[in-house]
Amino acid sequence: MNRTRLVLTGLAVAAMIATSGCDPQPESQDAATSPSPAVSSATPTVGAATTAASTAADTAATVKACADIKKDIKDNASKIAKAEKIGPPAGHFAVSAQWAAGSVAILAHAIGANQAVTAASEKIQNEMMSLSDAYNTSADAKPSKKALEAAIKELDAACSAA
């Protein structure tokens, strides 16, 4: 059982590493398109503009992360349903592996999001890993998904505030 868990965790980490480089962060075009500002007493407005641009980029990254995470949750649910149809004993390994893979996708897409969305996505990831562990432990496992549903509601609230 420990070997299976180690292999599943290794695969999940490999998937996270592979997908983490897929979405490059947007680059600021301010430096490339505008000339350097002259040093004067009006310089503080440049800092304010930079902060506003940074905040807009952070908000855009958070909105994208929310959309990607919600898509991951739906995709994972359909894959879990397919894996559950396999039935025990082999099916519980497939379900466990899918919960682990889904949790990695959640973490990968949370990169760059604001703190509230990141915290909520970490709770979802933890709950998914708990479900993975429960299915890995018992072929007849029917763990409660209430904690996962609560974490998803917390993500929805964090995303709607962004």
Side-chain angles (χ1 to χ4, degrees):
M1 181 167 92
N2 286 336
R3 183 172 185 216
T4 303
R5 184 177 183 153
L6 181 63
V7 169
L8 293 175
T9 303
L11 290 173
V13 169
M16 184 178 81
I17 291 169
T19 59
S20 66
C22 292
D23 270 328
Q25 294 297 319
E27 295 181 18
S28 174
Q29 295 178 358
D30 293 339
T33 59
S34 64
S36 298
V39 177
S40 69
S41 62
T43 304
T45 59
V46 173
T50 303
T51 302
S54 176
T55 302
D58 290 344
T59 301
T62 298
V63 169
K64 181 178 180 342
C66 286
D68 290 345
I69 292 169
K70 288 178 182 182
K71 182 180 180 291
D72 289 337
I73 291 169
K74 287 179 183 178
D75 289 346
N76 194 58
S78 67
K79 290 175 182 176
I80 291 291
K82 287 179 185 177
E84 285 176 337
K85 289 180 183 178
I86 297 170
H92 74 283
F93 290 121
V95 172
S96 175
Q98 186 54 52
W99 279 118
S103 72
V104 172
I106 299 293
L107 283 182
H109 286 121
I111 295 172
N114 68 22
Q115 289 180 347
V117 171
T118 301
S121 66
E122 286 176 3
K123 286 182 183 180
I124 292 171
Q125 186 272 337
N126 289 333
E127 293 305 321
M128 287 180 157
M129 285 306 296
S130 294
L131 290 167
S132 174
D133 291 343
Y135 276 96
N136 198 26
T137 303
S138 170
D140 297 321
K142 297 288 183 195
S144 173
K145 296 176 186 165
K146 287 184 181 183
L148 176 62
E149 292 167 359
I152 292 171
K153 285 181 183 178
E154 187 175 322
L155 174 74
D156 290 340
C159 287
S160 63

